[in-house]
mmCIF file of all heavy atoms in Angstrom:
data_model
loop_
_atom_site.group_PDB
_atom_site.id
_atom_site.type_symbol
_atom_site.label_atom_id
_atom_site.label_comp_id
_atom_site.label_asym_id
_atom_site.label_seq_id
_atom_site.Cartn_x
_atom_site.Cartn_y
_atom_site.Cartn_z
ATOM 1 N N ARG A 79 -11.076 -9.908 109.603
ATOM 2 C CA ARG A 79 -10.447 -9.450 110.852
ATOM 3 C C ARG A 79 -11.362 -9.733 112.040
ATOM 4 O O ARG A 79 -10.897 -10.173 113.093
ATOM 5 C CB ARG A 79 -10.127 -7.961 110.776
ATOM 6 C CG ARG A 79 -8.888 -7.666 109.973
ATOM 7 C CD ARG A 79 -8.528 -6.210 109.998
ATOM 8 N NE ARG A 79 -7.309 -5.983 109.236
ATOM 9 C CZ ARG A 79 -6.949 -4.812 108.766
ATOM 10 N NH1 ARG A 79 -7.701 -3.759 108.971
ATOM 11 N NH2 ARG A 79 -5.831 -4.678 108.073
ATOM 12 N N LYS A 80 -12.664 -9.457 111.857
ATOM 13 C CA LYS A 80 -13.618 -9.748 112.932
ATOM 14 C C LYS A 80 -13.649 -11.241 113.227
ATOM 15 O O LYS A 80 -13.675 -11.655 114.387
ATOM 16 C CB LYS A 80 -15.025 -9.265 112.550
ATOM 17 C CG LYS A 80 -15.195 -7.763 112.621
ATOM 18 C CD LYS A 80 -16.600 -7.342 112.253
ATOM 19 C CE LYS A 80 -16.753 -5.835 112.266
ATOM 20 N NZ LYS A 80 -18.102 -5.413 111.866
ATOM 21 N N LYS A 81 -13.629 -12.037 112.167
ATOM 22 C CA LYS A 81 -13.656 -13.491 112.334
ATOM 23 C C LYS A 81 -12.398 -13.968 113.061
ATOM 24 O O LYS A 81 -12.471 -14.799 113.966
ATOM 25 C CB LYS A 81 -13.770 -14.155 110.960
ATOM 26 C CG LYS A 81 -14.044 -15.634 111.007
ATOM 27 C CD LYS A 81 -14.277 -16.176 109.610
ATOM 28 C CE LYS A 81 -14.575 -17.657 109.642
ATOM 29 N NZ LYS A 81 -14.827 -18.192 108.319
ATOM 30 N N ILE A 82 -11.247 -13.430 112.655
ATOM 31 C CA ILE A 82 -9.984 -13.799 113.290
ATOM 32 C C ILE A 82 -10.002 -13.401 114.768
ATOM 33 O O ILE A 82 -9.586 -14.173 115.632
ATOM 34 C CB ILE A 82 -8.786 -13.153 112.556
ATOM 35 C CG1 ILE A 82 -8.574 -13.835 111.205
ATOM 36 C CG2 ILE A 82 -7.517 -13.214 113.395
ATOM 37 C CD1 ILE A 82 -7.572 -13.127 110.311
ATOM 38 N N LYS A 83 -10.513 -12.211 115.054
ATOM 39 C CA LYS A 83 -10.581 -11.744 116.439
ATOM 40 C C LYS A 83 -11.492 -12.659 117.253
ATOM 41 O O LYS A 83 -11.142 -13.066 118.357
ATOM 42 C CB LYS A 83 -11.099 -10.306 116.480
ATOM 43 C CG LYS A 83 -11.099 -9.694 117.847
ATOM 44 C CD LYS A 83 -11.558 -8.249 117.808
ATOM 45 C CE LYS A 83 -11.565 -7.641 119.198
ATOM 46 N NZ LYS A 83 -12.037 -6.259 119.163
ATOM 47 N N SER A 84 -12.639 -13.000 116.686
ATOM 48 C CA SER A 84 -13.587 -13.886 117.366
ATOM 49 C C SER A 84 -12.962 -15.253 117.605
ATOM 50 O O SER A 84 -13.067 -15.822 118.702
ATOM 51 C CB SER A 84 -14.858 -14.019 116.527
ATOM 52 O OG SER A 84 -15.717 -14.984 117.074
ATOM 53 N N GLU A 85 -12.319 -15.798 116.575
ATOM 54 C CA GLU A 85 -11.679 -17.106 116.707
ATOM 55 C C GLU A 85 -10.527 -17.053 117.700
ATOM 56 O O GLU A 85 -10.290 -18.006 118.447
ATOM 57 C CB GLU A 85 -11.207 -17.610 115.342
ATOM 58 C CG GLU A 85 -12.349 -18.048 114.445
ATOM 59 C CD GLU A 85 -11.895 -18.523 113.080
ATOM 60 O OE1 GLU A 85 -10.674 -18.645 112.866
ATOM 61 O OE2 GLU A 85 -12.764 -18.769 112.236
ATOM 62 N N GLY A 86 -9.826 -15.929 117.740
ATOM 63 C CA GLY A 86 -8.743 -15.762 118.706
ATOM 64 C C GLY A 86 -9.276 -15.797 120.135
ATOM 65 O O GLY A 86 -8.697 -16.433 121.014
ATOM 66 N N GLN A 87 -10.415 -15.112 120.348
ATOM 67 C CA GLN A 87 -11.025 -15.130 121.675
ATOM 68 C C GLN A 87 -11.479 -16.542 122.036
ATOM 69 O O GLN A 87 -11.294 -17.000 123.161
ATOM 70 C CB GLN A 87 -12.206 -14.163 121.726
ATOM 71 C CG GLN A 87 -11.789 -12.706 121.700
ATOM 72 C CD GLN A 87 -12.965 -11.754 121.586
ATOM 73 O OE1 GLN A 87 -14.072 -12.162 121.277
ATOM 74 N NE2 GLN A 87 -12.711 -10.480 121.827
ATOM 75 N N LYS A 88 -12.065 -17.226 121.056
ATOM 76 C CA LYS A 88 -12.496 -18.610 121.302
ATOM 77 C C LYS A 88 -11.295 -19.487 121.629
ATOM 78 O O LYS A 88 -11.359 -20.338 122.514
ATOM 79 C CB LYS A 88 -13.241 -19.170 120.084
ATOM 80 C CG LYS A 88 -14.618 -18.598 119.890
ATOM 81 C CD LYS A 88 -15.257 -19.176 118.650
ATOM 82 C CE LYS A 88 -16.598 -18.514 118.341
ATOM 83 N NZ LYS A 88 -17.182 -18.999 117.104
ATOM 84 N N ASN A 89 -10.197 -19.275 120.899
ATOM 85 C CA ASN A 89 -8.979 -20.055 121.151
ATOM 86 C C ASN A 89 -8.449 -19.800 122.558
ATOM 87 O O ASN A 89 -8.004 -20.727 123.233
ATOM 88 C CB ASN A 89 -7.902 -19.740 120.112
ATOM 89 C CG ASN A 89 -8.206 -20.346 118.754
ATOM 90 O OD1 ASN A 89 -9.026 -21.240 118.646
ATOM 91 N ND2 ASN A 89 -7.554 -19.849 117.728
ATOM 92 N N VAL A 90 -8.496 -18.548 122.996
ATOM 93 C CA VAL A 90 -8.032 -18.219 124.342
ATOM 94 C C VAL A 90 -8.912 -18.927 125.363
ATOM 95 O O VAL A 90 -8.414 -19.517 126.330
ATOM 96 C CB VAL A 90 -8.039 -16.684 124.558
ATOM 97 C CG1 VAL A 90 -7.859 -16.341 126.028
ATOM 98 C CG2 VAL A 90 -6.948 -16.030 123.716
ATOM 99 N N GLU A 91 -10.237 -18.878 125.143
ATOM 100 C CA GLU A 91 -11.162 -19.551 126.059
ATOM 101 C C GLU A 91 -10.908 -21.057 126.074
ATOM 102 O O GLU A 91 -10.873 -21.677 127.144
ATOM 103 C CB GLU A 91 -12.607 -19.265 125.656
ATOM 104 C CG GLU A 91 -13.035 -17.825 125.889
ATOM 105 C CD GLU A 91 -14.399 -17.513 125.283
ATOM 106 O OE1 GLU A 91 -15.089 -18.432 124.800
ATOM 107 O OE2 GLU A 91 -14.781 -16.327 125.309
ATOM 108 N N MET A 92 -10.726 -21.630 124.892
ATOM 109 C CA MET A 92 -10.472 -23.072 124.816
ATOM 110 C C MET A 92 -9.152 -23.424 125.502
ATOM 111 O O MET A 92 -9.063 -24.438 126.196
ATOM 112 C CB MET A 92 -10.462 -23.535 123.358
ATOM 113 C CG MET A 92 -11.837 -23.586 122.720
ATOM 114 S SD MET A 92 -11.804 -24.024 120.969
ATOM 115 C CE MET A 92 -11.072 -25.614 121.004
ATOM 116 N N LYS A 93 -8.150 -22.592 125.339
ATOM 117 C CA LYS A 93 -6.853 -22.839 125.960
ATOM 118 C C LYS A 93 -6.999 -22.822 127.479
ATOM 119 O O LYS A 93 -6.455 -23.691 128.169
ATOM 120 C CB LYS A 93 -5.841 -21.784 125.502
ATOM 121 C CG LYS A 93 -4.438 -22.026 125.995
ATOM 122 C CD LYS A 93 -3.483 -20.983 125.459
ATOM 123 C CE LYS A 93 -2.079 -21.230 125.975
ATOM 124 N NZ LYS A 93 -1.160 -20.208 125.509
ATOM 125 N N MET A 94 -7.765 -21.852 127.975
ATOM 126 C CA MET A 94 -7.985 -21.771 129.416
ATOM 127 C C MET A 94 -8.734 -23.008 129.909
ATOM 128 O O MET A 94 -8.392 -23.571 130.959
ATOM 129 C CB MET A 94 -8.749 -20.491 129.764
ATOM 130 C CG MET A 94 -7.930 -19.224 129.586
ATOM 131 S SD MET A 94 -8.855 -17.689 129.795
ATOM 132 C CE MET A 94 -9.504 -17.882 131.436
#
Side-chain angles (χ1 to χ4, degrees):
R79 282 185 179 160
K80 286 181 183 178
K81 190 174 181 179
I82 288 170
K83 185 177 180 181
S84 173
E85 288 179 7
Q87 289 173 346
K88 287 178 186 176
N89 287 343
V90 167
E91 290 171 7
M92 286 176 61
K93 185 178 179 182
M94 290 173 57

